Amino acid sequence: MAADYGLIPELQLETVLARARTGDADEVAACLPRLLDALVGGDLSPVVSIEVVELFDGHGGHAIVDLLDAWWFDVLQRSHGEHRNGVGPEDVLGLLAHTEPPMVRWLHPWLDSLDGPPAIHLATAIVDGFPAPTWSGRTDRRQQVMAWTRTEAVINGLALIGATHIDGDTMSRVLDILILGEIDA
């Protein structure tokens, strides 16, 4: 991403963040690989993760959005217990809500892959109400996601495909939330 990664790998993460915060495009470009590694690795607090994603969104262009696409797909495909702390689907989707692309960009891959771990992640997120702290300041986008979960495509996808991966009690709770409206938005 940056022509010269230079000394960035040797610097403390706080120093890399300070350099990236300058707003200078060259500094940001030099810091992006290190910050991306820390973000994906779960090395940042939710607040700093939000700042980094917003920084990426403001300076990274299409290459960063493509990387975020790949990261999101990878997070969805991992089974429960394989995610690093703070880097589960609910956390990452909350971070992606801090980017410019509309939420539908991030929701389509979830719907398209409900045969496996993504179904379990979606059921868990619905039951838990998408509680991740990374949704901070993005109430409208969180509500968009909650409304999306109530669409016919999601309900049918979970009931017809995803249900084979979700335990009966959880699936029952999901359908109660989605169909009967017991959802806390």
Side-chain angles (χ1 to χ4, degrees):
M1 290 166 34
D4 181 25
Y5 200 34
L7 295 174
I8 298 295
E10 307 302 322
L11 296 175
Q12 293 291 323
L13 190 54
E14 294 78 20
T15 304
V16 175
L17 279 164
R19 288 181 68 168
R21 287 176 179 139
T22 66
D24 176 75
D26 291 335
E27 283 293 318
V28 172
C31 296
L32 285 179
R34 176 77 186 281
L35 294 176
L36 181 64
D37 185 51
L39 179 70
V40 171
D43 299 332
L44 306 174
S45 71
V47 170
V48 175
S49 293
I50 291 167
E51 179 184 1
V52 167
V53 167
E54 289 175 348
L55 184 70
F56 287 172
D57 193 51
H59 290 89
H62 295 293
I64 289 296
V65 174
D66 290 344
L67 283 169
L68 294 175
D69 277 336
W71 181 38
W72 175 232
F73 183 79
D74 178 67
V75 166
L76 286 177
Q77 299 308 313
R78 292 179 182 265
S79 297
H80 275 296
E82 291 182 10
H83 298 103
R84 291 179 180 96
N85 188 27
V87 193
E90 296 153 18
D91 305 298
V92 174
L93 188 60
L95 289 171
L96 296 174
H98 291 268
T99 64
E100 188 173 316
M103 291 307 293
V104 69
R105 177 187 187 100
W106 315 113
L107 298 175
H108 273 305
W110 208 343
L111 186 59
D112 290 344
S113 58
L114 284 180
D115 192 17
I120 298 168
H121 300 318
L122 184 54
T124 301
I126 290 168
V127 169
D128 293 346
F130 292 87
T134 54
W135 285 97
S136 177
R138 292 299 190 253
T139 303
D140 181 57
R141 286 192 162 211
R142 182 179 169 272
Q143 288 174 341
Q144 289 174 33
V145 172
M146 301 296 271
W148 168 81
T149 64
R150 293 186 211 110
T151 64
E152 186 177 341
V154 172
I155 293 170
N156 286 339
L158 281 172
L160 300 174
I161 300 168
T164 61
H165 305 282
I166 302 167
D167 71 78
D169 290 338
T170 301
M171 191 65 212
S172 177
R173 181 71 182 128
V174 166
L175 292 175
D176 285 347
I177 290 169
L178 298 181
I179 295 171
L180 299 177
E182 295 179 13
I183 200 160
D184 177 29

